[in-house]
């Protein structure tokens, strides 16, 4: 990769006065490289948070299911368990998609 020595939009009056002409391929950025970008410690910590979240989610769902059965709630437990699992899956999917791309 080469260093950029000219601005992205070079001054055209400079080339009209007989100055150095800038070619179009030299005036634009061809690529950017980012080195040293590691996600290992942060990714491991986030994975632990996700596992802990799913364990708490499962405990909550079991407690809600038990409470609805024990106290004869006037609604089905899936009205609470369903959205909980759905949003947990959505959070996991968002994390997984960010990690893959």
């Amino acid at each position: 990769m080469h260093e950029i020595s000219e601005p992205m939009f070079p001054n055209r009056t400079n080339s009209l006065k007989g100055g150095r002409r800038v070619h179009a391929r030299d005036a634009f950025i061809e690529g950017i490289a980012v080195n040293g970008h590691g996600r290992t410690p942060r990714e491991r910590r986030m994975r632990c948070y996700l596992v802990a979240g799913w364990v708490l989610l499962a405990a909550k769902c079991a407690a809600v299911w038990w409470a609805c059965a024990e106290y004869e709630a006037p609604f089905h437990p899936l009205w609470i368990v369903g959205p909980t699992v759905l949003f947990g899956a959505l959070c996991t999917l968002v994390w997984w998609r960010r990690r893959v791309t």
Side-chain angles (χ1 to χ4, degrees):
M1 188 168 309
H2 59 77
E3 294 282 328
I4 298 174
S5 59
E6 296 292 329
M8 189 167 182
F9 298 105
N11 188 356
R12 294 295 174 200
T13 59
N14 188 21
S15 63
L16 293 175
K17 294 179 185 176
R20 181 177 173 267
R21 292 193 56 89
V22 178
H23 296 291
R25 68 176 183 275
D26 295 335
F28 292 97
I29 299 172
E30 293 178 3
I32 296 174
V34 178
N35 297 329
H37 188 280
R39 293 184 182 173
T40 309
R42 188 172 160 195
E43 186 174 321
R44 188 175 303 134
R45 187 178 325 134
M46 188 62 196
R47 189 175 295 149
C48 289
Y49 287 148
L50 278 172
V51 168
W54 276 105
V55 167
L56 290 172
L57 191 139
K60 174 196 171 186
C61 291
V64 165
W65 205 281
W66 171 83
C68 286
E70 183 71 22
Y71 297 109
E72 297 178 10
F75 55 86
H76 196 274
L78 280 178
W79 282 104
I80 297 172
V81 172
T84 302
V85 172
L86 181 69
F87 288 128
L90 179 67
C91 291
T92 304
L93 181 68
V94 167
W95 172 77
W96 183 74
R97 292 284 297 170
R98 179 202 56 86
R99 204 176 118 243
V100 170
T101 57

